[in-house]
């Protein structure tokens, strides 16, 4: 007769371990489920990060603009020096040719000792006249030699200057490339963050951005202050015609702008040339630290490093090119950390 045995029961220790492991697994799963949603930043968090990235991109943009301006200046200076060197070399060649002709003539006429030439001459007076001319030519020869030496020194200095400027140009181009990559990196990161939002959240951000531009449509007839020279008022009037133009880093118009690109373009339309970058623009004219003393068209600067500039539009407003993703618009000065204004 077969015996019937009860199945062996798991030990209490093993049950405890399995129970604990199962409980831990459940807890981890619950934590993961709860943590997953929190990994995605909220709309406000994305906006804060994106705004910061746009600000950093604009800082890099002004450095980029400065490097680009320097590059263009160096290229013009190098071109001018190279043209001067080419002309100088032609002058040097002419001096050398002239000196060679002079030396050859003297050799032909001076192959015989002067006293013998005088003795053999059929017309002593004619010889003496020629001798005086030869003495004069000898003086010209000395002058020609000095001119050649001076021209050689001048060309050597110009070539050395061109070499140094070419080195500076290479370094500037490297800086330009570095800043361009930095800007593109900041903008790409901002776009990546925006892509984490839902379509509805992106629409909400777009509407908030639009609300900051609502004053633009109603301010196109704003009167222009023409006090003083009138340059500021004329510049402001020009900038008004660009409302709605997109912000593009490095752009100076007429269809797109960055912040200092707009202000430099506007003043150019008024017949005034101002520096390209916001930092350089802050060094011209008369500084105005009280907003109540600002006149329409004055330059207004923001942030401690002065990386943003716009045009005063009256009533506590600024007309500016804000940042990537926005267009030229009016905005309250209070939306940014005002530093001072400049009356050009």
């Amino acid at each position: 007769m077969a015996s019937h045995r009860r199945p062996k029961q798991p030990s209490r220790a093993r049950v405890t371990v399995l129970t604990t492991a199962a409980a831990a697994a459940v807890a981890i799963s619950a934590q993961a489920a709860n943590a997953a949603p929190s990994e995605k930043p909220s709309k406000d968090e994305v906006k804060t990060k994106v705004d910061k990235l746009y600000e950093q991109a604009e800082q890099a943009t002004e450095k980029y603009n400065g490097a680009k301006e320097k590059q263009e200046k160096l290229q013009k200076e190098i071109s001018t020096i190279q043209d001067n060197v080419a002309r100088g070399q032609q002058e040097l060649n002419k001096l050398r040719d002239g000196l060679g002709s002079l030396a050859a003539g003297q050799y032909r006429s001076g192959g015989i000792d002067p006293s013998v030439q005088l003795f053999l001459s059929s017309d002593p007076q004619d010889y003496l006249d020629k001798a005086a001319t030869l003495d004069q030519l000898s003086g010209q020869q000395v002058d020609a030699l000095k001119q050649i030496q001076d021209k050689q020194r001048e060309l050597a200095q110009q070539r050395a200057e061109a070499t140094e400027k070419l080195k500076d140009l290479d370094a500037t181009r490297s800086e330009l490339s570095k800043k361009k990559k930095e800007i593109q990196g900041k903008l790409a990161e901002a776009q990546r963050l925006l892509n984490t939002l839902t379509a509805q959240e992106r629409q909400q951000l777009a509407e908030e951005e639009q609300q900051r531009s609502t004053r633009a449509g109603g301010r196109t007839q704003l009167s222009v202050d023409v006090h003083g020279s009138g340059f500021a008022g004329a510049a402001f009037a020009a900038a008004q015609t660009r409302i709605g133009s997109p912000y593009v880093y490095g752009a100076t118009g007429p269809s797109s702008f960055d912040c200092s690109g707009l202000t430099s373009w506007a003043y150019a339309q008024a017949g005034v040339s101002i520096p390209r970058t916001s930092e350089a623009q802050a060094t011209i004219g008369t500084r105005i630290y009280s907003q109540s003393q600002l006149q329409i068209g004055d330059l207004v600067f923001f942030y401690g490093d002065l990386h943003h500039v716009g045009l005063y539009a009256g009533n506590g407003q600024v007309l500016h090119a804000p940042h990537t993703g926005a267009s030229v618009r009016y905005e309250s000065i209070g939306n940014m950390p005002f530093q001072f204004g400049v009356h050009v």
Side-chain angles (χ1 to χ4, degrees):
M1 183 174 179
S3 61
H4 297 279
R5 297 181 179 178
R6 295 178 60 189
K8 187 177 180 180
Q9 298 295 320
S11 67
R12 178 173 297 178
R14 187 182 180 196
V15 170
T16 301
V17 170
L18 291 174
T19 302
T20 303
V26 171
I28 291 172
S29 298
Q31 290 175 359
N34 293 332
S38 64
E39 290 177 359
K40 179 180 177 297
S42 67
K43 176 175 69 69
D44 290 340
E45 289 174 334
V46 166
K47 184 181 185 308
T48 298
K49 291 180 180 179
V50 167
D51 286 346
K52 185 63 178 177
L53 286 166
Y54 282 157
E55 180 184 342
Q56 292 171 350
E58 191 174 32
Q59 288 174 313
T61 293
E62 288 305 300
K63 297 296 183 184
Y64 169 88
N65 291 338
K68 187 175 182 181
E69 184 179 39
K70 183 179 180 181
Q71 174 187 253
E72 293 171 352
K73 181 181 178 182
L74 284 170
Q75 287 174 329
K76 290 179 181 178
E77 291 175 349
I78 290 169
S79 179
T80 299
I81 293 173
Q82 289 173 337
D83 288 344
N84 290 339
V85 168
R87 285 193 296 268
Q89 187 63 53
Q90 290 178 344
E91 293 173 8
L92 181 59
N93 292 340
K94 288 181 180 179
L95 288 171
R96 284 173 172 167
D97 291 342
L99 183 61
S101 299
L102 184 61
Q106 285 183 322
Y107 176 78
R108 287 192 299 270
S109 63
I112 302 176
D113 184 84
S115 61
V116 177
Q117 287 185 358
L118 177 60
F119 178 76
L120 296 175
S121 175
S122 60
D123 186 349
Q125 186 59 47
D126 180 62
Y127 170 77
L128 291 174
D129 291 339
K130 290 180 179 179
T133 302
L134 287 172
D135 288 341
Q136 184 180 4
L137 290 174
S138 179
Q140 289 177 356
Q141 185 181 36
V142 172
D143 290 341
L145 285 170
K146 290 177 63 178
Q147 289 178 21
I148 288 174
Q149 291 174 338
D150 290 344
K151 182 58 66 176
Q152 286 175 328
R153 281 194 293 268
E154 180 184 340
L155 289 176
Q157 291 174 350
Q158 289 178 335
R159 288 189 175 107
E161 183 181 359
T163 298
E164 289 303 312
K165 287 187 180 295
L166 284 169
K167 291 179 181 177
D168 197 3
L169 180 59
D170 286 340
T172 301
R173 283 173 172 163
S174 296
E175 177 69 11
L176 196 61
S177 176
K178 177 182 176 183
K179 288 302 175 185
K180 185 175 182 178
K181 289 179 180 177
E182 182 179 349
I183 295 166
Q184 291 173 335
K186 298 292 184 185
L187 297 181
E189 176 62 15
Q191 188 59 53
R192 187 193 67 78
L193 285 170
L194 290 172
N195 289 342
T196 65
L197 300 177
T198 64
Q200 182 180 1
E201 289 173 327
R202 287 196 295 271
Q203 180 62 31
Q204 289 173 347
L205 284 181
E207 291 173 356
E208 291 173 7
E209 187 72 23
Q210 182 61 32
Q211 288 174 3
R212 301 180 73 175
S213 305
T214 52
R215 292 185 62 87
R219 304 246 355 221
T220 54
Q221 301 300 320
L222 187 65
S223 61
V224 175
D225 190 332
V226 292
H227 291 303
S229 67
F231 290 139
F236 178 74
Q240 281 185 303
T241 67
R242 301 294 93 191
I243 290 174
S245 299
Y247 179 102
V248 176
Y249 80 86
T252 57
S255 57
S256 59
F257 304 87
D258 59 24
C259 70
S260 58
L262 175 65
T263 51
S264 58
W265 177 87
Y267 268 90
Q269 308 316 298
V272 180
S273 176
I274 65 174
R276 170 65 179 90
T277 67
S278 60
E279 186 176 358
Q281 289 176 12
T283 64
I284 63 174
T286 304
R287 288 195 176 185
I288 304 165
Y289 291 94
S290 173
Q291 293 185 30
S292 63
Q293 295 178 357
L294 291 171
Q295 298 178 24
I296 291 176
D298 284 345
L299 298 173
V300 280
F301 297 87
F302 302 91
Y303 302 97
D305 61 356
L306 310 178
H307 71 261
H308 190 72
V309 62
L311 296 166
Y312 185 61
N315 301 321
Q317 299 286 307
V318 59
L319 178 57
H320 68 148
H323 53 73
T324 298
S327 301
V328 175
R329 70 188 185 201
Y330 294 103
E331 190 164 344
S332 171
I333 282 183
N335 288 347
M336 298 169 287
F338 171 80
Q339 301 300 306
F340 54 81
V342 165
H343 185 70
V344 179

